[in-house]
Amino acid sequence: MRNIFVTSLASLALAGCATYPAPAPQDTVATVPAGAVSAADPRAQEAGEAILAKGGSATDAAIAVMLALTVVEPQSSGIGGGGFLVRGEADGDVTTFDGRETAPAAATPDWFLDDEGNVPPFMQSVRSGLSVGVPGNIALAAKAHAAHGKLAWSELFGPAIELAREGFQINPRMHDALGRSKDRAAHTAEARALYYDTFGEPLPVGTLVQNEALARTFESLASGGREAFYSGTRALAIATAVAADTPKPGAMTYEDIAGYEAKERNAVCSSYRTYRICSMGPPTSGGVAVQQMLLQLERFDLASLGADNPVTWHLFLESQRLAYADREIYLADTDFVSVPVEGLLDRTYLAGRSALISPQESLAEAKAGTPPGATTAMADGDEPEEHGTSHFAVVDSENTMVSYTSTIEGAFGSGLMVGGFYLNNELTDFSRSPVVEGREVANRVEGGKRPRSSMSPTVIYDSQGRPFMAVGAAGGSTIPVTTARAIIGAIDFGLSAEEALRLPFMMAFGERVLLEEGTWLEDQAEAFRALGHEDLVIRQAPIKAGALLMRGDRWQSARDPRLEGFVDMP
Ligand code: GLU
């Protein structure tokens, strides 16, 4: 068995700077006394492992991963954005932390509309101060650390400061993102100087980037705590940059930032077969959607049907349709609208929903149901494709699991950069249309409100109540499906962490069904058509999941095999 700590720390020391060690999708395995980390970038994974090796808790290590990802995966997440952290103790006690961004206090439902009251092109909203929410990750980290940290707050910043100051190499994935999303990535002079050459081209793969501004930001947060972010010069710099880029009254103010609060919330839990599943509740739709999909499938014997049977995945598609129909209507920020979370997971309600699923034939149309406690039924608006987010998971020596999804929403967020990090465009996760078909949308913009998310950080316990899995994903609206698919792989098919993430991806987008290119599903078009799925698209899947999974007495760690830039481990 490979000792992850010895290998990781030795490679850091030898390298002197952080090269892009080719990430392996395959499992790394660690016994419980040492703990284990899964992250999309191996340099961030090493940051978490280093904190565990020092005696840090899973919460400590997860915070260190979040900070390190700000450096090495700036396209996806960071301290300029927000996230959700689900923490499950060995004895089954689960709590969650909500670090979702908030809209400025003065924002109104017509926030994104142009002078004529129309919804502008999506990217126009993204690349503007209008899209920036008050960042939540540092407040989340401070709150979670105060409750569950073991190491000093300042120690958590060590690996990220080293990565930013000593430098890290641009990997193929980041290089591609810098080219593809130049309008946002290269928007500020600060970012152009960091990541582009004098001709405006992304620096080549392998270039060493030293982000001294970010190292200094981290140092001020390490010594000054959360207040060094939410007050003083840093808060002023963020408010000034966002206001200068916001074309209408109501822009983010210093007070918006100073007033930000991360929230500890109750976990949303249910049981699937003999396992207990706990996820994040609103303002993300992810936890409810994942659990609805699983519970609607429970009456089917997926294990007997098998992972290579189109009927298995047809049932999954149908369950997706039903869960997403409810999601569109009911899910939003519970601090602003009433969300019938218990009703949506009510066994009787879900039995009725599941009865709509036929193994022989696709539903013509999936409509939202009326769960117990539903007081509103409001349609949602637009749902764009999204490409920024990172999921990571940690288990520590006490067998506490932490599942944390962190995001700046789209690639490089809003494109605004202050202090070496990008500011999010999370507010485009609101419905930009406040009214649809004559009804107010639950997920409309309101001052101080958190936009609806799809992020689905989840922890799972086995039938004996032992920690079993910490899982989640990136990929916008695909996140709940990706997460549920990995859980089905682990629970129904008994797969390893890596095999569960490797399962082919399929998702129903309304009538249309995406089957993942390059997998056996490609050859199953006829079988899916025979089950009533007429509108099939075969294409690559924009997904990026991560998981820790207990098998025997060992934790398996895996990152999505679809991540670009892999080469074989030596
Ligand atoms: N902002 C999205 C959410 O909170 C995630 C974005 C992505 O993964 O591309 O659901």
Side-chain angles (χ1 to χ4, degrees):
M1 191 190 70
R2 201 163 76 88
N3 180 328
I4 56 171
F5 299 112
V6 172
T7 310
S8 303
L9 295 176
S11 66
L12 264 185
L14 279 178
C17 65
T19 54
Y20 66 96
Q26 73 263 27
D27 299 351
T28 52
V29 180
T31 52
V32 171
V37 183
S38 155
D41 190 298
R43 295 161 296 192
Q45 184 162 321
E46 285 168 355
E49 289 165 0
I51 293 295
L52 283 184
K54 281 182 157 185
S57 66
T59 301
D60 289 332
I63 293 168
V65 173
M66 181 274 288
L67 297 170
L69 286 170
T70 311
V71 186
V72 299
E73 210 188 32
Q75 69 271 32
S76 296
S77 67
I79 62 174
F84 298 115
L85 184 156
V86 177
R87 177 180 179 276
E89 291 185 5
D91 67 3
D93 198 24
V94 181
T95 190
T96 72
F97 292 90
D98 167 358
R100 187 69 165 166
E101 299 89 335
T102 50
T108 47
D110 61 358
W111 187 240
F112 285 108
L113 303 185
D114 64 20
D115 292 344
E116 278 78 52
N118 298 319
V119 178
F122 182 67
M123 291 320 292
Q124 193 175 313
S125 299
V126 170
R127 184 37 316 287
S128 153
L130 287 172
S131 72
V132 184
V134 178
N137 266 329
I138 287 295
L140 181 163
K143 201 173 188 78
H145 177 259
H148 304 294
K150 274 195 189 164
L151 299 184
W153 168 256
S154 59
E155 276 195 79
L156 313 184
F157 289 78
I161 291 173
E162 190 178 326
L163 282 166
R165 178 155 293 141
E166 303 301 323
F168 68 98
Q169 288 186 325
I170 293 182
N171 64 10
R173 198 152 59 88
M174 179 172 167
H175 178 78
D176 286 353
L178 287 168
R180 231 186 357 249
S181 307
K182 222 193 246 182
D183 58 324
R184 280 149 288 151
H187 179 65
T188 63
E190 185 180 354
R192 286 195 296 277
L194 270 178
Y195 304 130
Y196 293 85
D197 66 18
T198 44
F199 303 102
E201 292 305 317
L203 294 172
V205 171
T207 307
L208 185 75
V209 173
Q210 292 170 296
N211 190 342
E212 180 56 26
L214 186 53
R216 284 203 302 272
T217 298
F218 284 146
E219 279 170 343
S220 78
L221 299 176
S223 58
R226 95 184 270 296
E227 289 320 304
F229 192 94
Y230 293 95
S231 62
T233 50
R234 173 116 12 246
L236 202 56
I238 294 173
T240 308
V242 175
D245 201 40
T246 305
K248 61 178 357 178
M252 183 186 291
T253 62
Y254 179 88
E255 287 69 32
D256 287 323
I257 299 170
Y260 182 83
E261 265 187 71
K263 300 198 173 181
E264 189 167 354
R265 297 189 190 270
N266 292 332
V268 170
C269 297
S270 58
S271 61
Y272 175 59
R273 308 206 190 276
T274 57
Y275 294 78
R276 178 165 164 257
I277 307 210
C278 291
S279 325
M280 190 77 214
T284 184
S285 60
V288 170
V290 165
Q291 292 181 29
Q292 282 195 311
M293 281 185 266
L294 294 173
L295 300 192
Q296 287 161 176
L297 286 174
E298 205 172 21
R299 73 185 172 94
F300 299 101
D301 185 355
L302 300 184
S304 297
L305 285 169
D308 50 5
N309 183 346
V311 175
T312 299
W313 302 114
H314 153 75
L315 297 172
F316 184 38
L317 288 168
E318 298 297 278
S319 194
Q320 292 173 20
R321 286 200 161 109
L322 293 167
Y324 274 67
D326 277 355
R327 170 183 178 271
E328 289 306 301
I329 298 295
Y330 295 111
L331 270 299
D333 182 354
T334 35
D335 292 346
F336 284 74
V337 288
S338 151
V339 179
V341 174
E342 275 181 32
L344 288 163
L345 293 172
D346 179 83
R347 287 274 171 186
T348 312
Y349 171 67
L350 288 175
R353 299 289 282 166
S354 178
L356 300 172
I357 301 177
S358 155
Q360 281 87 34
E361 201 185 356
S362 176
L363 280 159
E365 194 189 0
K367 288 196 176 137
T370 310
T375 53
T376 64
M378 295 179 269
D380 196 359
D382 41 13
E383 179 85 40
E385 228 186 275
E386 300 148 320
H387 298 287
T389 298
S390 225
H391 179 77
F392 37 99
V394 183
V395 62
D396 63 19
S397 58
E398 291 175 10
N399 225 4
T400 292
M401 300 177 281
V402 164
S403 205
Y404 188 166
T405 314
S406 173
T407 184
I408 51 172
E409 212 308 275
F412 304 99
S414 62
L416 291 174
M417 182 179 263
V418 285
F421 60 90
Y422 285 101
L423 292 170
N424 67 85
N425 66 299
E426 217 70 51
L427 302 191
T428 55
D429 271 356
F430 280 118
S431 169
R432 291 182 303 147
S433 319
V435 175
V436 171
E437 290 166 12
R439 289 186 296 182
E440 275 193 319
V441 177
N443 187 34
R444 65 189 178 278
V445 183
E446 294 182 82
K449 190 174 175 183
R450 295 163 196 237
R452 186 187 69 191
S453 169
S454 300
M455 296 190 287
S456 311
T458 296
V459 297
I460 303 177
Y461 295 86
D462 70 11
S463 56
Q464 315 294 310
R466 292 171 305 209
F468 174 70
M469 190 177 195
V471 61
S477 63
T478 64
I479 292 173
V481 169
T482 306
T483 305
R485 184 200 52 136
I487 295 171
I488 289 168
I491 292 182
D492 289 288
F493 304 129
L495 300 177
S496 71
E498 194 271 330
E499 289 165 340
L501 300 191
R502 192 181 284 281
L503 279 171
F505 179 80
M506 76 297 307
M507 180 162 171
F509 295 88
E511 299 285 292
R512 175 162 290 188
V513 168
L514 182 152
L515 301 178
E516 187 177 0
E517 198 178 305
T519 70
W520 65 270
L521 290 176
E522 249 186 27
D523 304 325
Q524 299 297 322
E526 276 321 305
F528 280 94
R529 278 203 191 93
L531 288 160
H533 305 280
E534 301 288 341
D535 190 358
L536 299 175
V537 192
I538 294 174
R539 51 164 279 198
Q540 289 189 335
I543 63 175
K544 179 176 143 198
L548 290 173
L549 178 63
M550 173 56 84
R551 288 288 178 213
D553 63 349
R554 291 175 179 188
W555 282 101
Q556 301 176 333
S557 163
R559 60 173 69 88
D560 206 296
R562 293 162 188 80
L563 287 172
E564 299 153 72
F566 284 134
V567 299
D568 289 337
M569 290 279 270

